[in-house]
Amino acid sequence: WVTVFGFPADAALSVRQHLESVCRTVIEEHHVGDGNFMHLCFRDPMAAYNALQLSPLHMGKLMIGVTACSQEQLLALLETSHDGGRREDYFDDYFAAQPPPPQKAGPFLSSLSVVTDLLFDA
């Protein structure tokens, strides 16, 4: 699950379609009133991770943010579910998914990062 924000309510459909064209299928969408944000659940955690990497997303004159849903937001979504489905499965997948592990730095890069940390940390 990701939260997409920073767009007018009438642009929600085009924002979702753009994210689906880049990151794959959204299987669930949740809006809170007429707010300028929505929560999206992608088919797989990697698609959600890819959406997070797009932030900030530029669409015309809009700059749209994408952030991971907080646990509180996800629990609120779960409580407001009226679709009869088992949304807990989506939440279990969300919390079990981990982003790809960072690349391991070689000895030169490790030493270089120590030097740059010493030079630039105040």
Side-chain angles (χ1 to χ4, degrees):
W1 283 86
V2 298
T3 300
V4 184
F5 60 92
F7 56 88
D10 61 346
L13 179 60
S14 60
V15 170
R16 175 186 171 155
Q17 288 172 339
H18 179 76
L19 285 171
E20 284 187 313
S21 72
V22 175
C23 302
R24 294 187 226 142
T25 305
V26 170
I27 58 173
E28 193 165 344
E29 175 180 340
H30 182 75
H31 294 270
V32 180
D34 291 331
N36 69 340
F37 66 96
M38 63 183 159
H39 305 292
L40 298 176
C41 180
F42 286 91
R43 182 173 304 279
D44 62 78
M46 195 60 178
Y49 178 79
N50 291 339
L52 292 170
Q53 301 309 304
L54 295 174
S55 189
L57 174 65
H58 296 275
M59 288 183 61
K61 294 183 179 183
L62 298 176
M63 184 176 353
I64 299 163
V66 183
T67 186
C69 282
S70 68
Q71 186 170 6
E72 292 79 23
Q73 290 170 322
L74 292 173
L75 292 174
L77 285 171
L78 181 61
E79 290 173 4
T80 60
S81 174
H82 299 293
D83 62 2
R86 219 180 106 57
R87 293 174 68 151
E88 292 89 345
D89 293 339
Y90 301 137
F91 294 101
D92 292 344
D93 291 344
Y94 175 84
F95 287 116
Q98 298 294 320
Q103 297 292 330
K104 294 189 179 206
F108 175 75
L109 290 177
S110 297
S111 301
L112 182 60
S113 65
V114 169
V115 170
T116 56
D117 287 346
L118 292 172
L119 288 174
F120 296 108
D121 282 345

